[in-house]
Amino acid sequence: DTIFVMPPFNYCDDGDSYYFFDTTLPRLYTDSYCCHPDNLFPIGDIDEDGMTEICIFYSSCTSRFKSLIAYSLKNNKWTQIGQCTFDIGFMKPDKEKRVRKTGKGKFEMLEIVDREENKEWKQFSF
């Protein structure tokens, strides 16, 4: 689906939100004011329920440490299913290649925080 980013509607919102042109999909709230449409990307149907899970390259815009946060849509609500951290000094592989399915409802995310030699695949299941 096509997405766009909206700033907070009021003072109660803590950050930007991702909206989908498909109005059946709920907005995805963040607490970041540094969201961009190309920061959100599909990671495949991890749990094989017919709905594609998504991931956000999450940034505070100021820190050199960033996150990838994975979400699944359950009961019309986005639920966080995984997260990893990385230093932007290590931008390879591309963000889309840092998440991989390992089985039904199981996936890994690549975390690199201090040196290329210390990269670690964190495992998640849901």
Side-chain angles (χ1 to χ4, degrees):
D1 191 28
T2 304
I3 61 164
F4 58 99
V5 176
M6 292 289 291
F9 285 142
N10 56 51
Y11 292 111
C12 294
D13 288 344
D14 290 328
D16 296 339
S17 295
Y18 289 95
Y19 284 84
F20 301 84
F21 279 124
D22 178 349
T23 57
T24 65
L25 298 173
R27 77 174 165 160
L28 179 55
Y29 297 90
T30 75
D31 60 359
S32 173
Y33 293 94
C34 194
C35 296
H36 306 284
D38 61 344
N39 285 3
L40 188 142
F41 58 96
I43 56 173
D45 186 3
I46 305 291
D47 59 357
E48 300 174 12
D49 67 351
M51 185 66 104
T52 300
E53 275 66 50
I54 60 174
C55 197
I56 295 176
F57 171 84
Y58 182 85
S59 173
S60 65
C61 289
T62 58
S63 172
R64 57 183 270 188
F65 292 97
K66 309 299 181 184
S67 294
L68 290 178
I69 304 174
Y71 293 92
S72 182
L73 186 62
K74 299 291 181 211
N75 300 316
N76 206 38
K77 182 180 175 192
W78 292 109
T79 302
Q80 183 176 320
I81 56 173
Q83 180 174 358
C84 73
T85 304
F86 64 93
D87 183 331
I88 59 171
F90 306 101
M91 291 299 288
K92 295 293 180 187
D94 295 334
K95 64 185 184 297
E96 295 84 1
K97 299 199 185 298
R98 292 178 182 236
V99 181
R100 63 185 181 195
K101 181 178 176 174
T102 58
K104 183 176 181 180
K106 298 177 181 181
F107 66 102
E108 297 177 323
M109 301 178 84
L110 183 61
E111 183 165 86
I112 308 173
V113 291
D114 61 358
R115 292 194 325 257
E116 183 73 25
E117 300 82 41
N118 289 348
K119 63 184 171 184
E120 173 189 359
W121 285 97
K122 291 177 69 175
Q123 299 178 355
F124 300 92
S125 61
F126 64 105

